[in-house]
Amino acid sequence: MQNSMTVNVSKRQTRMSTQPHAAPEDDLSNDRLFVTALARGLDILQAFGMQDRQLGNQELAQRTGLPKSTVSRLTYTLTKLGYLQQDPVSSKYLPGLKVLTLGFAALAQVDVRERARPLMRALSQETGLSVTLGCLMGTRVVYVEACRATTRVGIKLDVGASVPLVSTAIGRAIYASLDASQRSQTTDALALEYGGSWPDWQERLHTGAAEISQDGFCRSFGEFEPDIFAVAVPLRGQESPMAINCSGPAYRLTPEQWAGEIAPKLRELAGRLGGA
């Protein structure tokens, strides 16, 4: 039994290390409280991305590294419980309404959203730019509030969407706010995810942290999307690492205007929320 559990956990850790959004886990081989079946079910749900309409068992098996027979049992169970829906024509799966209830329950715990929403909306209307609030989730940032500007060019992402930590201003602001333990854990996960390109991204994260220290905000000009500029400020004193971000088309403002006009407004907003 011990050897079997060790093999299962080892396989799962190997699978997760190949997934772009996964973070390395602690060694679970001797953790008798760890429920592998539950973890595999969550792997299935996490395999769905923002751009995925439907996924079949074969696609889910490829993304999770699980045997197709195991995936079939998991998708059947999750469908019965309402966490997945099966399309009657394609026989593929999509997230069910119960997944939404979990997400909304989690968002309801983020009290800062309620205080931030009117301030973010006012800043978005004043500047004509998008303003987003995000929290750390593994090696990515998940938006928990978003006020999108009605511009032709922009990041069309809403609440629940996620963006990379390394290439975005909001991600770098969050990284800069991490304590030593959190930063070490996140760094290990990023190094595993980015492999040979990690040293370059690590340098950019360090540059972002230096910008936060010196200027109170950090930049990402055309790194996440070539035609998008953004500045961000960390929110300190929150239960989860968070930051607030302002972004818009690169043609709208010069780098000097972003630094001299937009960043101070964003810092003021963050200060009113308790922490630039």
Side-chain angles (χ1 to χ4, degrees):
M1 178 67 70
Q2 180 80 15
N3 291 338
S4 175
M5 183 169 66
T6 299
V7 170
N8 288 338
V9 171
S10 177
K11 287 182 178 179
R12 182 169 187 272
Q13 289 173 325
T14 300
R15 290 197 314 272
M16 294 193 69
S17 69
T18 63
Q19 296 183 54
H21 300 173
E25 298 180 356
D26 295 333
D27 183 11
L28 301 171
S29 59
N30 296 315
D31 191 343
R32 296 183 179 181
L33 297 178
F34 185 80
V35 182
T36 302
L38 174 59
R40 288 175 171 175
L42 294 175
D43 281 348
I44 296 294
L45 296 179
Q46 291 175 352
F48 288 88
M50 291 295 295
Q51 306 303 319
D52 296 319
R53 288 292 300 162
Q54 300 178 354
L55 294 175
N57 285 335
Q58 183 63 42
E59 294 165 298
L60 289 168
Q62 292 173 347
R63 293 193 180 191
T64 61
L66 294 169
K68 186 177 178 181
S69 59
T70 300
V71 170
S72 297
R73 294 194 299 272
L74 291 170
T75 52
Y76 175 84
T77 302
L78 290 167
T79 301
K80 287 294 184 180
L81 294 174
Y83 292 102
L84 291 180
Q85 299 178 41
Q86 187 173 29
D87 186 285
V89 177
S90 68
S91 296
K92 292 187 175 184
Y93 299 91
L94 64 158
L97 292 179
K98 274 197 173 182
V99 174
L100 285 179
T101 64
L102 293 177
F104 288 136
L107 287 175
Q109 306 304 313
V110 186
D111 295 335
V112 71
R113 290 178 63 241
E114 298 297 327
R115 294 185 288 116
R117 188 178 298 117
L119 300 177
M120 293 170 59
R121 185 182 301 114
L123 181 59
S124 179
Q125 292 173 346
E126 177 187 355
T127 61
L129 302 169
S130 295
V131 184
T132 51
L133 177 68
C135 66
L136 180 65
M137 184 69 67
T139 62
R140 297 181 70 83
V141 178
V142 176
Y143 289 155
V144 296
E145 192 59 60
C147 294
R148 292 194 331 196
T150 56
T151 57
R152 180 176 59 84
V153 178
I155 301 295
K156 306 301 183 183
L157 298 175
D158 287 313
V159 174
S162 70
V163 296
L165 188 77
V166 297
S167 59
T168 58
I170 194 169
R172 293 172 184 175
I174 287 179
Y175 184 83
S177 72
L178 299 178
D179 62 32
S181 176
Q182 292 171 324
R183 185 172 294 193
S184 176
Q185 183 178 7
T186 303
T187 297
D188 289 345
L190 289 168
L192 181 64
E193 179 177 335
Y194 285 91
S197 64
W198 168 237
D200 177 57
W201 287 117
Q202 185 176 33
E203 182 177 349
R204 299 190 198 192
L205 285 174
H206 288 166
T207 298
E211 291 174 343
I212 293 290
S213 178
Q214 178 177 326
D215 304 323
F217 71 95
C218 63
R219 309 158 174 83
S220 177
F221 292 163
E223 294 176 72
F224 177 52
E225 293 286 350
D227 51 0
I228 298 296
F229 280 11
V231 293
V233 176
L235 290 187
R236 306 190 188 278
Q238 307 299 320
E239 291 186 7
S240 299
M242 303 183 74
I244 195 160
N245 174 84
C246 201
S247 65
Y251 65 80
R252 281 282 305 277
L253 299 168
T254 66
E256 292 75 20
Q257 287 175 308
W258 280 96
E261 299 175 16
I262 305 304
K265 296 179 186 295
L266 194 63
R267 288 188 63 190
E268 180 184 1
L269 191 161
R272 293 177 66 180
L273 294 175

